[in-house]
Amino acid sequence: MINTKDKLTQQTDVSELSFDDFKQAVISDYDIAFRSRQASILGRREVLTGKAKFGIFGDGKEVAQLAMAKAFKKGDWRAGYYRDQTFMFATGMSTIKELFAQLYANPDIEKEPASAGRQMNAHFATRSLNEDGTWKNLTEMMNCSSDISPTAGQMARLVGLAYASKLFRQNKALTQYKHLSISGNEVAFGTIGNASTSEGVFFEAINAAGVLQIPMAISVWDDGYGISVPAKFQTTKEDISEILKGFQREEGKPGFEIFKVCGWDYVALCETYEKAIKVCREEHVPVLIHVTDITQPLGHSTSGSHERYKSKERLDWEKEFDCLVKMREWMISSAIVSEEELQEIENNGKAFVKTSLKEAWTDLMSQIKVEKQDALTLIDALANEVETVKKVSQMLKSEIDPLRREVISAVRKSIRLSKSNPSATRDELIDWYEKELKVNQERFNSKLFSDTALSPLKVKPVPVVYATDPKLVDGREVLNACFDANLEKNPLVLAFGEDLGNIGDVNQGFSGLQAKYGDLRVIDTGIREMTIIGQGLGLALRGLRPIAEIQYLDYITFALNIISDDLATVSYRTKGGQIAPMIIRTRGHRLEGIWHAGSPIGMILNSTKGIHLCVPRNMTQAAGMYNTLLQGDEPALVIECLNGYRLKEKMPENPGEFSIPLGKVEILKEGKDITLISYGSTLKLVSEAAEELMTMGIDAEVIDAQTLMPFDTAMECGQSLQKTNKLLIIDEDVPGGASAFILQDILERQNGYFYLDAQPKTLTSVAHRPPYGSDGDYFSKPSVDDMVEKVYAMMQEAHPSKYNKIF
């Protein structure tokens, strides 16, 4: 009987094996590689027959990945891409059946533990967390950070995964966290296709690793193409290791160790990986293994055929130098195995993979068929009362292997068709649908955030405490005291960014803290936004609490791909299996100049769902948000007000303890005539405008949004609107940005539409970024004059007899 639950691992120390044991290890390796190839062949077939949506596989890379897997140990981490299935099988981090479950998008986390069907096939991940959201012992398991599809995107995260090992080795205060690291001996393994090395993030990550000297092992699978585009259009000299020779370390000059090896040479691959990873692990030197002569027997993916762009000569060469063919030849010529024995291994492998495929499909379909039958029972009962429903039933019955969408769509159509025929039968169908809707929301729409007991949304607010006669200080000093307190009480907290360490950041929020805590806690980085975010992401995945600084908000666009594609989706794409509770710290608002305008909030809101967005109006509010976030397990972006660092604020007595709840607005001024909502630096101008409006007989209520994701969870803005019946949202983003986001929330979720007695308005910047200079700012962003006149015009329109026109 074939047991598809068995993991196909080959974790053995070949240095201690007898020849017979060595033979068995080699045979086991070939068995894994052959089964992996069969999984690619059958998986591709499932897509082409329509049972699966899309397929991308690791055919041609099997032997190289066997060698890499031999060097991979418990505690190590992988940040790879969607060609690494053989490696995952060989390490036991995934099974063939789980690969097929993902191919079929099975949303059952037990059947498809990498993503619960949320990612396309070959996007791997291990589960780092217990059910309650606490960390597992990561040193007792092999770890795979969740894959993403964007090419080379994994490289930024890889830097952080490797950097964590350096910190765990060198920062003695971290030795107590034995469930997170074995004294920093872990290697972070990265994999990438040769064409993807053309991406900027690859070069940024290479440079960062060389500077940091971290145990990062990068394998480049080189098949000579990027889909249809050959290497001559991808890489200078058509050879990535050749052009990276300048990174090779020399005496007294740190850098990389670079290796080059053929992808079909089993012995050379095993020797190369053993040597490379030994250097990487023991010396904390980054290594690059350039694996050449890789073939891709099935082409790039199920979306096309490589026969369209490869010559006959190339295709013939790929058949001859297929890594399985070459390994097979070597095994026979070395008397490791006979042709007959190999044939038996291959026959058993084919049967195993076919059984795995069948079981994975049955696992998915059996549950859906139960749901289909339950639905049909109710639909047929309704069809006895409503004739038009019978056709719906017949259509659903004709579906042999329906998806859930066919089942639910049939139910919804039946409910629509019976709208004029209320009955207990119809009510029963509606009740079933509503219950299934909740189940499917959990399957497909849950875990955007962790939603555990450790969520920052569940942190209890602690009020700020002031002395009887509090000292007035620059706002930056409040932040400094907050960071100091958190670094002091939690060894896992660290901060890094451009100019952050030695000078304490450009606005002095970390002034003096590197001298106090050392350069492993408060750290300077180069100008490399993508890998600053990746550095934080990788550290957070390993249990540290990083604060990664992007010097100005406008520069966030240099890292938006990593924030949006990777960080924002970690919890969702693993269905809560991994978390990355990092904080991105930056500053913006009320800046001057096209590239220093500081307010691309709409872009952030639309591209970073899965990250909390905090927009404090001063440094005390910012400190309270940092204190909240550092107690939680979810990522966030905090935008400090650039013009607030030297404004005077009261110094709290508890700078590292008070906390501000996320999603809570604050009413800064109560009023009865109109509700004004804004955030960040613009609030200071709104408050000034409200004072002038009072002299004109208009009593405005001023509300600070404080956080935009989440926004106003208690719906206090809607409550204010019930009182004032008029709404103006003031924002320095472009039209349709954050103001539109806030307006939609108030009108739709908070039912604000029903409380209006005048058209709701927004006051934003003009459609372009502001030019340089204070005049450019005045004529491009909302000024106090703009605010006063906009509110007055709204009041005049509503009460023309009470308010004379200004213009």
Side-chain angles (χ1 to χ4, degrees):
M1 180 178 178
I2 296 172
N3 186 356
T4 60
K5 294 181 180 178
D6 292 341
K7 293 185 182 291
L8 309 177
T9 59
Q10 42 80 298
Q11 292 294 302
T12 54
D13 185 353
V14 294
S15 64
E16 299 178 1
L17 296 180
S18 66
F19 182 68
D20 286 341
D21 289 336
F22 170 73
K23 286 172 57 175
Q24 289 306 311
V26 173
I27 291 169
S28 175
D29 277 357
Y30 181 78
D31 188 24
I32 293 169
F34 182 83
R35 294 184 187 198
S36 180
R37 176 67 62 85
Q38 291 302 304
S40 298
I41 293 169
L42 292 188
R44 180 181 177 85
R45 190 177 303 163
E46 291 299 275
V47 176
L48 298 179
T49 59
K51 288 174 72 175
K53 194 80 172 178
F54 178 79
I56 197 159
F57 302 97
D59 47 292
K61 300 166 181 66
E62 293 91 351
V63 174
Q65 290 180 19
L66 291 174
M68 183 171 72
K70 289 181 182 298
F72 197 85
K73 299 184 181 300
K74 287 183 178 179
D76 287 347
W77 280 82
R78 169 189 170 273
Y81 86 133
Y82 38 76
R83 303 286 188 190
D84 293 347
Q85 67 195 51
T86 306
F87 172 80
M88 293 299 292
F89 301 154
T91 56
M93 288 191 285
S94 184
T95 68
I96 289 175
K97 185 175 175 181
E98 288 169 352
L99 177 79
F100 288 140
Q102 192 174 56
L103 182 71
Y104 297 136
N106 191 328
D108 186 339
I109 201 71
E110 298 298 324
K111 305 296 183 184
E112 202 281 89
S115 72
R118 295 179 178 188
Q119 294 225 75
M120 67 176 66
N121 77 293
H123 285 62
F124 302 104
T126 51
R127 305 194 71 75
S128 303
L129 306 176
N130 297 307
E131 287 296 320
D132 61 359
T134 57
W135 292 100
K136 293 180 179 178
N137 189 329
L138 303 181
T139 68
E140 294 180 350
M141 57 189 285
M142 296 181 179
N143 303 285
C144 173
S145 62
S146 175
D147 291 339
I148 59 175
S149 293
T151 54
Q154 69 272 21
M155 293 299 300
R157 175 187 353 128
L158 180 64
V159 173
L161 292 170
Y163 185 54
S165 290
K166 177 177 181 175
L167 295 178
F168 280 118
R169 177 174 288 186
Q170 296 187 10
N171 183 356
K172 301 308 177 187
L174 296 177
T175 56
Q176 61 186 294
Y177 300 102
K178 298 188 183 302
H179 64 298
L180 299 178
S181 175
I182 310 168
S183 302
N185 291 329
E186 304 80 20
V187 171
F189 288 69
T191 63
I192 188 169
N194 62 296
S196 294
T197 63
S198 301
E199 296 275 15
V201 68
F202 172 80
F203 286 95
E204 195 173 302
I206 289 285
N207 186 52
V211 169
L212 293 170
Q213 287 295 282
I214 51 180
M216 184 169 101
I218 305 166
S219 296
V220 179
W221 311 137
D222 189 349
D223 68 349
Y225 287 84
I227 308 182
S228 67
V229 180
K232 67 180 180 180
F233 298 121
Q234 302 278 1
T235 309
T236 303
K237 299 183 179 181
E238 301 183 42
D239 192 318
I240 189 62
S241 58
E242 183 69 21
I243 65 173
L244 291 178
K245 280 184 176 178
F247 283 89
Q248 174 66 48
R249 66 173 176 166
E250 302 170 8
E251 188 68 34
K253 295 181 179 180
F256 272 71
E257 282 293 340
I258 300 175
F259 302 82
K260 195 171 188 178
V261 61
C262 285
W264 49 261
D265 191 334
Y266 175 79
V267 175
L269 283 160
C270 291
E271 291 173 348
T272 298
Y273 271 96
E274 182 182 12
K275 181 179 179 180
I277 302 307
K278 179 178 172 59
V279 171
C280 191
R281 192 182 305 279
E282 294 179 2
E283 300 181 42
H284 273 200
V285 170
V287 299
L288 182 135
I289 303 104
H290 182 193
V291 184
T292 63
D293 290 350
I294 291 282
T295 65
Q296 205 156 267
L298 302 179
H300 174 264
S301 69
T302 56
S303 62
S305 170
H306 62 160
E307 284 84 357
R308 291 184 300 162
Y309 53 85
K310 290 179 182 175
S311 67
K312 181 181 182 302
E313 291 74 19
R314 171 69 190 194
L315 292 170
D316 289 343
W317 178 89
E318 290 196 8
K319 288 178 182 178
E320 181 181 355
F321 285 89
D322 184 310
C323 63
L324 291 189
V325 171
K326 301 300 284 186
M327 185 175 180
R328 204 177 191 280
E329 292 173 355
W330 170 77
M331 290 170 68
I332 293 173
S333 65
S334 302
I336 290 173
V337 68
S338 67
E339 175 67 39
E340 292 74 17
E341 289 171 319
L342 274 174
Q343 194 64 55
E344 183 179 0
I345 290 168
E346 291 169 353
N347 290 338
N348 290 338
K350 288 180 180 179
F352 178 91
V353 174
K354 285 181 180 178
T355 300
S356 298
L357 181 80
K358 183 178 179 180
E359 288 183 0
W361 179 252
T362 301
D363 285 343
L364 178 64
M365 284 296 109
S366 59
Q367 190 171 8
I368 295 178
K369 285 178 178 178
V370 169
E371 295 166 18
K372 173 187 172 182
Q373 189 54 53
D374 289 345
L376 276 171
T377 299
L378 296 170
I379 291 171
D380 284 342
L382 185 59
N384 291 330
E385 301 174 3
V386 182
E387 182 69 24
T388 53
V389 174
K390 288 182 178 179
K391 188 175 181 180
V392 178
S393 174
Q394 292 168 357
M395 288 291 293
L396 184 56
K397 287 174 181 175
S398 69
E399 295 281 356
I400 299 173
D401 289 321
L403 296 176
R404 285 189 169 91
R405 68 177 185 180
E406 278 85 30
V407 176
I408 296 300
S409 181
V411 170
R412 294 171 73 176
K413 186 157 189 176
S414 298
I415 292 170
R416 293 198 301 272
L417 290 171
S418 61
K419 66 183 183 299
S420 301
N421 302 86
S423 69
T425 306
R426 184 174 186 272
D427 290 343
E428 191 176 358
L429 183 60
I430 291 173
D431 182 61
W432 184 89
Y433 165 68
E434 290 176 345
K435 288 177 181 177
E436 283 298 302
L437 189 61
K438 291 179 181 178
V439 172
N440 284 316
Q441 284 173 339
E442 171 61 27
R443 285 183 179 127
F444 304 110
N445 310 122
S446 61
K447 292 293 183 178
L448 181 62
F449 291 96
S450 73
D451 300 325
T452 68
L454 303 173
S455 166
L457 300 181
K458 298 176 183 177
V459 172
K460 293 182 179 179
V462 175
V464 61
V465 176
Y466 294 109
T468 305
D469 185 17
K471 181 181 179 182
L472 286 177
V473 297
D474 289 348
R476 63 182 177 83
E477 296 181 61
V478 177
L479 273 182
N480 188 270
C482 165
F483 294 138
D484 188 2
N486 280 288
L487 287 163
E488 176 70 31
K489 68 184 178 182
N490 188 353
L492 295 170
V493 173
L494 69 155
F496 50 87
E498 300 160 18
D499 301 301
L500 186 83
N502 185 39
I503 69 169
D505 88 45
V506 291
N507 296 105
Q508 300 293 281
F510 277 88
S511 178
L513 297 184
Q514 186 182 76
K516 184 174 181 179
Y517 295 102
D519 60 6
L520 295 176
R521 302 285 305 282
V522 182
I523 307 154
D524 280 316
T525 71
I527 301 175
R528 49 176 181 84
E529 283 80 7
M530 283 187 286
T531 50
I532 287 174
I533 299 301
Q535 195 168 322
L537 173 52
L539 292 173
L541 286 168
R542 293 195 60 181
L544 291 154
R545 298 308 309 264
I547 301 171
E549 178 175 309
I550 300 297
Q551 198 161 95
Y552 296 105
L553 180 58
D554 300 83
Y555 306 161
I556 211 87
T557 54
F558 287 94
L560 192 62
N561 54 338
I562 309 303
I563 298 170
S564 178
D565 295 333
D566 203 345
L567 177 61
T569 64
V570 166
S571 179
Y572 175 77
R573 73 179 190 263
T574 61
K575 201 177 182 182
Q578 294 181 2
I579 54 169
M582 68 173 288
I583 298 172
I584 304 169
R585 178 195 180 216
T586 189
R587 51 192 64 82
H589 311 309
R590 305 313 298 187
L591 299 171
E592 297 175 359
I594 292 173
W595 289 284
H596 297 82
S599 297
I601 306 298
M603 175 187 73
I604 294 169
L605 287 167
N606 288 323
S607 60
T608 63
K609 293 293 190 294
I611 296 176
H612 297 302
L613 178 56
C614 303
V615 283
R617 68 181 180 274
N618 58 37
M619 302 310 156
T620 301
Q621 300 301 104
M625 292 174 187
Y626 284 123
N627 290 335
T628 298
L629 291 165
L630 286 168
Q631 295 178 67
D633 63 357
E634 297 169 352
L637 169 62
V638 181
I639 304 170
E640 298 165 10
C641 299
L642 181 62
N643 59 3
Y645 292 107
R646 297 193 180 279
L647 296 179
K648 297 301 180 183
E649 299 184 35
K650 295 183 289 185
M651 174 61 79
E653 292 280 284
N654 57 341
E657 303 299 330
F658 75 94
S659 56
I660 291 175
L662 307 186
K664 172 77 173 175
V665 303
E666 183 175 353
I667 299 175
L668 303 182
K669 176 189 173 298
E670 293 189 353
K672 59 182 175 57
D673 293 329
I674 189 169
T675 298
L676 307 181
I677 302 171
S678 192
Y679 59 87
S681 295
T682 305
L683 273 165
K684 185 175 182 296
L685 305 186
V686 174
S687 295
E688 291 176 22
E691 291 179 11
E692 182 173 342
L693 287 166
M694 282 294 288
T695 67
M696 305 171 78
I698 300 171
D699 186 10
E701 184 145 293
V702 178
I703 298 178
D704 179 4
Q706 296 206 108
T707 64
L708 295 177
M709 293 191 293
F711 172 69
D712 191 12
T713 54
M715 297 193 287
E716 293 181 69
C717 292
Q719 295 167 25
S720 173
L721 193 53
Q722 288 186 56
K723 175 175 58 175
T724 68
N725 309 120
K726 296 177 182 62
L727 175 64
L728 176 63
I729 298 162
I730 302 161
D731 174 41
E732 60 177 31
D733 196 3
V734 295
S739 58
F741 170 84
I742 294 171
L743 182 62
Q744 181 195 27
D745 187 278
I746 295 172
L747 294 185
E748 294 185 13
R749 183 176 67 91
Q750 302 190 35
N751 292 319
Y753 173 82
F754 298 103
Y755 311 129
L756 293 167
D757 64 10
Q759 182 184 8
K761 301 277 189 178
T762 62
L763 179 58
T764 70
S765 73
V766 291
H768 58 74
R769 299 184 189 185
Y772 175 67
S774 296
D775 283 345
D777 176 80
Y778 179 83
F779 288 103
S780 302
K781 289 187 175 183
S783 65
V784 172
D785 296 327
D786 295 327
M787 297 172 195
V788 170
E789 291 166 8
K790 185 81 169 183
V791 172
Y792 189 90
M794 292 175 68
M795 296 300 296
Q796 196 276 332
E797 184 178 355
H799 306 286
S801 61
K802 184 176 180 181
Y803 300 100
N804 297 325
K805 282 189 176 182
I806 297 175
F807 297 102

